[in-house]
Amino acid sequence: MVSLNSYIVLSMIVFTIGVFGFLTRRNIIIMFISVELMLNAVNISLVAFSFYLQDLRGHILVFFIISVAAAEAAIGLAILIAFFRNKPTVNIDEINIMKW
Amino acid sequence: MLTQAIFGYLSFVIVVTSILVVTRKNAVHSVLWMLILFIHIAALFLFLNAEFLAAIQIIIYAGAMLVLYLFVVMLLNLKQEERIPRFTSLWPLGLLTATGLLLVLGLTAKTIIKGPPYIYTVDFVNEIGHLSLVGQVLYTEYLFPFEVLSVVLLVAIVGAIVLAKKKLRS
């Protein structure tokens, strides 16, 4: 029997890797992917909690998170394409048009 | 023993592939490592008796969203992006922040107190079926959030078209 803490630690590590990727990468597509990684880490911990607390409501929350993540990816990538038409780069250091 | 071995394998692959996802230079490689990551997360969900979630993890994440990412990477010509350094110049600061976050989360993980268990034991879920129980909870207790979610998806559909369209006719 794997303990609840193992799942929490796994979820924690994946979340931290996602935070690291979001903070340090220059490519905006990989930053989006890091956000997905963080959402997946949260999903792992929610499913683990709902298994150990014998409660299905965690599964419902994971279902909602997956749907919202899909909507977020669609909108985010559409914004990215609209931006790429004006300035052909995905490097976040060059996306500074609104910088004061 | 076997369950621990399976969990060890799954968690090892999940951690390694997530490191590979955030460190590869080519975005296509990142997305493909992400595919392996998602399949292993789906296996972890199966391990935790969540068959329905494993199925939608494969269908929505691995099937739909990664294809969307691959399409966008393909639409944007990213040849010159591969020549610049992949991390920002302040990447040690990011690493420090992430390590500090891991430390704080690790300290809080020790103090988790489990609440009393609810009615959905493993035997009960296996007897009725995971999908029908999820459906019961989703369509009774969470009916209003479910309807709101359909509006969110509608906004996503319309918004993606409006944003990515070349020019709106006035």
Side-chain angles (χ1 to χ4, degrees):
Chain A
M1 191 75 179
V2 185
S3 70
L4 174 61
N5 264 13
S6 322
Y7 288 101
I8 303 303
V9 169
L10 172 66
S11 148
M12 214 178 266
I13 292 170
V14 176
F15 187 86
T16 313
I17 293 168
V19 169
F20 172 71
F22 184 77
L23 288 177
T24 56
R25 286 302 297 247
R26 283 177 203 255
N27 190 334
I28 197 165
I29 295 173
I30 305 219
M31 287 171 71
F32 271 129
I33 290 175
S34 302
V35 174
E36 303 298 331
L37 209 62
M38 288 193 259
L39 289 169
N40 268 283
V42 174
N43 284 354
I44 291 173
S45 76
L46 279 172
V47 174
F49 269 118
S50 76
F51 178 73
Y52 282 95
L53 297 177
Q54 297 169 357
D55 195 338
L56 271 183
R57 285 174 288 192
H59 294 184
I60 307 290
L61 203 51
V62 171
F63 177 78
F64 285 149
I65 288 175
I66 289 177
S67 316
V68 172
E72 173 253 325
I75 293 285
L77 293 173
I79 290 174
L80 184 60
I81 288 180
F83 180 80
F84 197 81
R85 230 173 252 137
N86 294 321
K87 189 178 167 78
T89 178
V90 291
N91 182 358
I92 50 157
D93 288 342
E94 289 173 37
I95 305 177
N96 54 7
I97 213 163
M98 286 176 82
K99 199 172 172 185
W100 183 58
Chain B
M1 192 60 211
L2 183 65
T3 56
Q4 270 153 6
I6 294 171
F7 176 76
Y9 164 72
L10 288 176
S11 50
F12 176 75
V13 174
I14 285 172
V15 170
V16 169
T17 48
S18 41
I19 291 172
L20 285 171
V21 164
V22 299
T23 54
R24 289 307 90 192
K25 183 164 255 184
N26 193 335
V28 176
H29 294 174
S30 275
V31 174
L32 292 179
W33 283 115
M34 194 95 181
L35 177 65
I36 295 173
L37 173 74
F38 283 157
I39 289 170
H40 281 83
I41 288 178
L44 199 70
F45 286 172
L46 276 183
F47 204 61
L48 288 166
N49 278 11
E51 302 103 65
F52 174 60
L53 291 180
I56 61 172
Q57 175 87 12
I58 295 277
I59 293 168
I60 294 179
Y61 266 119
M65 265 165 68
L66 288 189
V67 172
L68 191 65
Y69 274 103
L70 277 178
F71 260 100
V72 170
V73 174
M74 191 187 74
L75 281 174
L76 314 178
N77 190 15
L78 299 179
K79 276 284 168 271
Q80 75 278 11
E81 300 295 333
E82 289 177 19
R83 270 183 242 122
I84 57 167
R86 61 188 92 173
F87 293 116
T88 54
S89 50
L90 286 176
W91 71 268
L93 208 60
L95 186 62
L96 196 72
T97 312
T99 321
L101 182 66
L102 184 64
L103 214 68
V104 171
L105 290 175
L107 287 176
T108 54
K110 289 197 167 176
T111 59
I112 288 174
I113 301 165
K114 270 202 297 187
Y118 200 49
I119 52 170
Y120 297 101
T121 59
V122 175
D123 293 330
F124 180 60
V125 172
N126 283 342
E127 189 192 328
I128 297 182
H130 182 245
L131 184 52
S132 65
L133 275 178
V134 167
Q136 270 173 29
V137 179
L138 187 62
Y139 290 122
T140 54
E141 205 177 332
Y142 289 89
L143 184 62
F144 184 65
F146 183 73
E147 299 293 344
V148 172
L149 191 65
S150 64
V151 178
V152 170
L153 288 174
L154 182 68
V155 169
I157 296 166
V158 177
I161 294 170
V162 168
L163 286 169
K165 204 164 148 46
K166 267 229 167 65
K167 201 193 286 178
L168 288 174
R169 283 198 192 85
S170 52

